[in-house]
């Protein structure tokens, strides 16, 4: 089935493999994508994936970070993205732009800025975001956020993308409203399962109004929040305790999926967990060294960042490693069973995300009707030609991705690529692979 075509609305996909969002430093400081963006995205298309979901592209001018990540907050950002899309389209590959913003999970900034603390509610969260506390958005700020999504979606269509995906996952702003352990509001945006959905409903309706009925809108939705992982100290405690400890379970998210279907979305993209990174969304190891490096890079931004860096620096790695790794392990096809529940309940096309790499597991997932597509990020970063290898009958690449999770953390400060040095013969070879991603070979030759 992997190589069977599939149709979502008017969109034709030549097979069932989607490149999942991979965000990284592919823009200039103002957020305009650089040629690295085109070169990076094009390589997956050249290597036969049926579709690419873009990195999360920021909809809010202020809450956009890390630096040098792409933005779609102004019309001037459209043209360079349109060029990248054209390059991808040369390979019969669909390009869907994922829009979103991190809310109070914004991790870095040039200076400490209040906007980076904006969320559904005021609280302390140890692990995510650099601000000492998250602060509740005013109604006016929520309305502005809704409008930001709508304007960004208009730009997505103008850039020539095949669809727009709204991220309601990854612990970003929308999930900060959906998650009852985080959303403690008592106005129309919080206080009940329905009210927590209000912002997403407004965003979907506003986006639809801008892009029109015919333009596919997908939603990346977490099957369940699992608030208790990792090191997630979130204070004050909320009641009922199950909200604080678990957040939304699959029951609430299925309800949201039904509501999204009623709003006319084209597909669901299912992952798990709350926050980026988190062990359910990125099943694999906890990259202690990388998190330490990342914390150190932002330690000047707030007392919390400083305290977090000090805590990570003070504990020797042989103590920190086992503690920080609690709950972190590789689970193949982690969201496949959940994806099936969403697919059966809604009848919508579903993409399953997380922990896929072997052809037989992908084939089984599709055969058993658990999902219509499988999306991959880290395995394609490790072996960009994975689909071609499958076409040749190989089940697993010779040097597979180890799911070490160095890439998602390291690439917030360094260029995109695989940073698992054990996969390379030497450090030079590893660095060469990273440089390949940053620029195409012709451009590199011109630069030499
Ligand atoms: C380097 C890197 C960057 C990522 N950036 C994004 C992003 O911008 N938006 C997003 O929704 N997910 C992002 N993810 C998560 C992936 O899309 C994917 O869900 C996750 O890695 C699990 O899939 P995998 O097991 O195939 O890697 C990123 C992952 C990696 C490794």
């Amino acid at each position: 089935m992997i190589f069977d075509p599939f149709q979502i609305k008017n969109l034709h996909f030549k097979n069932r493999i989607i490149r999942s969002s991979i965000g990284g430093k592919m823009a200039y400081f103002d957020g305009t994508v650089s040629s690295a963006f085109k070169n990076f995205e094009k390589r997956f298309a050249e290597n036969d994936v049926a579709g690419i979901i873009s990195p999360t592209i920021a909809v809010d001018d202020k809450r956009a970070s890390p630096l040098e990540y792409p933005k779609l907050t102004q019309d001037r950002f459209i043209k360079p993205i349109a060029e990248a899309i054209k390059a991808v389209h040369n390979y019969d590959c669909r390009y869907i732009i994922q829009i979103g913003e991190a809310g109070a999970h914004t991790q870095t900034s040039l200076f400490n800025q209040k906007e980076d603390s904006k969320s559904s509610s005021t609280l302390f969260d140890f692990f995510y975001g650099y601000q000492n506390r998250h602060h509740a958005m005013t109604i006016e700020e929520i309305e502005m956020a809704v409008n930001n999504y709508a304007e960004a979606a208009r730009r997505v269509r103008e850039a020539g993308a095949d669809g727009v995906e709204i991220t309601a996952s990854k612990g970003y702003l929308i999930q900060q409203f959906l998650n009852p352990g985080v959303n403690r509001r008592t106005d129309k945006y919080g206080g009940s399962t329905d009210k927590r959905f209000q912002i997403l409903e407004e965003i979907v309706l506003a986006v639809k109004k801008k892009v029109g009925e015919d333009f596919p809108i997908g939603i990346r939705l977490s099957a369940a929040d699992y608030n208790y992982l990792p090191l997630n100290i979130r204070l004050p405690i909320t009641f009922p305790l199950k909200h604080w400890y678990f957040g939304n379970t699959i029951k609430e998210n299925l309800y949201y999926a039904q509501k999204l279907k009623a709003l006319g979305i084209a597909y669901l993209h299912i992952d798990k967990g709350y926050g980026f990174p988190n062990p359910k969304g990125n099943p694999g190891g906890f990259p202690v060294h990388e998190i330490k490096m990342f914390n150190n890079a932002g330690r000047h931004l707030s007392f919390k960042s400083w305290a977090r860096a000090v805590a990570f620096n003070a504990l020797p790695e042989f103590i920190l490693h086992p503690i920080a790794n609690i709950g972190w392990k590789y689970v193949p096809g982690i969201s496949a069973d959940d994806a099936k529940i969403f697919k059966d309940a809604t009848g919508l096309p579903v993409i399953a995300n997380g922990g896929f790499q072997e052809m037989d597991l992908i084939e089984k997932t599709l055969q058993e009707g658990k999902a219509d597509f499988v999306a991959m990020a880290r395995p394609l970063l490790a072996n960009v030609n994975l689909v071609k290898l499958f076409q040749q009958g190989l089940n697993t690449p010779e040097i597979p991705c180890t799911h070490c999770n160095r890439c998602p953390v390291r690439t917030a400060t360094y260029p995109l690529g695989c940073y698992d040095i054990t996969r390379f013969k030497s450090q030079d070879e590893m660095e060469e692979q990273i440089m390949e991603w940053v620029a195409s070979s012709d451009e590199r030759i011109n630069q030499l």
Side-chain angles (χ1 to χ4, degrees):
M1 274 187 93
I2 292 184
F3 300 108
D4 290 352
F6 194 84
Q7 195 85 10
I8 296 183
K9 281 196 150 185
N10 53 344
L11 294 185
H12 175 80
F13 292 83
K14 64 185 170 200
N15 63 49
R16 307 301 186 90
I17 307 288
I18 304 277
R19 200 298 308 277
S20 187
S21 298
I22 300 183
K25 290 185 174 288
M26 293 184 284
Y28 300 105
F29 284 110
D30 70 340
T32 310
V33 296
S34 66
S35 61
F37 180 82
K38 182 167 93 181
N39 298 329
F40 184 77
E41 298 297 63
K42 192 179 77 176
R43 286 190 64 185
F44 297 99
E46 270 169 0
N47 279 284
D48 278 351
V49 299
I52 294 175
I53 299 174
S54 79
T56 310
I57 299 202
V59 302
D60 187 296
D61 241 337
K62 281 282 185 188
R63 281 190 299 277
S65 90
L67 288 170
E68 297 173 275
Y69 273 50
K71 283 183 183 176
L72 250 180
T73 52
Q74 296 174 36
D75 286 357
R76 70 192 172 88
F77 295 128
I78 298 174
K79 198 163 162 249
I81 291 184
E83 277 171 28
I85 296 174
K86 255 190 236 145
V88 165
H89 280 165
N90 285 337
Y91 298 93
D92 185 19
C93 177
R94 306 283 78 78
Y95 198 79
I96 293 172
I97 293 190
Q98 190 202 79
I99 53 173
E101 63 137 311
H105 285 205
T106 305
Q107 283 285 10
T108 63
S109 182
L110 275 179
F111 294 101
N112 178 320
Q113 53 180 28
K114 189 88 194 281
E115 289 84 351
D116 295 341
S117 72
K118 297 293 176 184
S119 183
S120 56
S121 298
T122 301
L123 58 88
F124 169 81
D125 181 312
F126 174 74
F127 197 70
Y128 296 111
Y130 73 82
Q131 285 278 343
N132 291 335
R133 283 200 308 163
H134 297 184
H135 287 107
M137 291 165 82
T138 62
I139 298 285
E140 200 188 11
E141 284 167 340
I142 294 173
E143 284 166 2
M144 269 163 58
V146 172
N147 189 50
N148 285 340
Y149 275 89
E151 284 298 319
R154 169 183 62 77
R155 296 182 189 110
V156 167
R157 184 157 198 173
E158 283 173 24
D162 299 297
V164 61
E165 181 173 293
I166 299 165
T167 182
S169 179
K170 292 275 156 276
Y172 291 164
L173 186 73
I174 296 174
Q175 202 178 4
Q176 289 163 30
F177 276 82
L178 298 179
N179 185 331
V182 176
N183 184 342
R184 292 126 192 249
R185 302 179 77 97
T186 50
D187 59 6
K188 67 173 178 163
Y189 293 100
S192 69
T193 311
D194 277 310
K195 287 178 175 178
R196 296 197 305 274
F197 183 77
Q198 179 69 23
I199 190 170
L200 180 53
E201 176 163 342
E202 287 179 17
I203 288 171
V204 173
L205 291 173
V207 163
K208 211 166 145 186
K209 208 165 154 194
K210 286 283 175 188
V211 297
E213 290 287 332
D214 59 325
F215 197 66
I217 302 173
I219 304 287
R220 182 159 178 168
L221 191 68
S222 173
D225 291 332
Y226 302 100
N227 280 350
Y228 52 90
L229 293 167
L231 308 173
N232 283 15
I233 306 161
R234 205 165 280 125
L235 299 170
I237 291 174
T238 41
F239 298 96
L241 269 181
K242 65 174 183 183
H243 279 173
W244 185 70
Y245 196 65
F246 292 107
N248 279 327
T249 62
I250 196 158
K251 186 168 150 248
E252 284 96 350
N253 284 313
L254 268 180
Y255 177 64
Y256 292 151
Q258 302 280 14
K259 283 169 87 85
L260 288 165
K261 185 185 179 186
L263 292 173
I265 65 158
Y267 72 89
L268 281 169
H269 181 176
I270 299 295
D271 62 11
K272 281 163 106 114
Y274 176 85
F276 184 69
N278 83 76
K280 306 284 183 194
N282 273 50
F286 181 90
V288 172
H289 186 74
E290 273 64 26
I291 298 265
K292 199 191 262 195
M293 193 189 78
F294 184 74
N295 284 340
N296 282 327
R299 62 189 300 166
H300 58 288
L301 284 170
S302 69
F303 177 76
K304 184 177 95 176
S305 303
W306 172 83
R308 209 163 40 190
V310 167
F312 273 78
N313 290 328
L315 286 169
E317 281 197 18
F318 75 91
I319 298 177
L320 185 59
H321 197 273
I323 300 173
N325 267 279
I326 294 171
W328 285 80
K329 65 171 195 270
Y330 177 58
V331 180
I334 190 163
S335 62
D337 292 338
D338 294 329
K340 178 164 173 45
I341 298 173
F342 281 86
K343 189 166 148 57
D344 291 348
T346 62
L348 286 169
V350 166
I351 304 172
N353 188 313
F356 290 98
Q357 176 161 231
E358 285 77 26
M359 181 163 73
D360 53 8
L361 174 65
I362 298 171
E363 187 64 38
K364 192 162 172 275
T365 302
L366 299 167
Q367 290 277 3
E368 290 176 354
K370 291 183 175 173
D372 302 295
F373 291 95
V374 159
M376 286 185 278
R378 293 167 297 172
L380 286 168
L381 205 50
N383 289 286
V384 68
N385 61 344
L386 193 58
V387 179
K388 286 199 189 298
L389 296 177
F390 291 164
Q391 279 160 351
Q392 290 159 20
L394 223 75
N395 188 46
T396 315
E398 199 185 332
I399 309 177
C401 166
T402 59
H403 305 99
C404 68
N405 276 327
R406 289 188 176 105
C407 58
V409 184
R410 200 171 265 269
T411 52
T413 355
Y414 293 110
L416 269 164
C418 172
Y419 285 87
D420 182 0
I421 195 142
T422 65
R423 296 188 58 253
F424 301 91
K425 290 195 195 83
S426 63
Q427 183 171 328
D428 281 352
E429 192 188 89
M430 187 188 84
E431 288 181 12
E432 182 63 19
Q433 161 265 151
I434 294 166
M435 291 310 136
E436 281 292 327
W437 287 108
V438 178
S440 74
S441 41
D442 320 358
E443 276 166 354
R444 289 184 66 214
I445 288 162
N446 292 338
Q447 283 161 8
L448 289 173

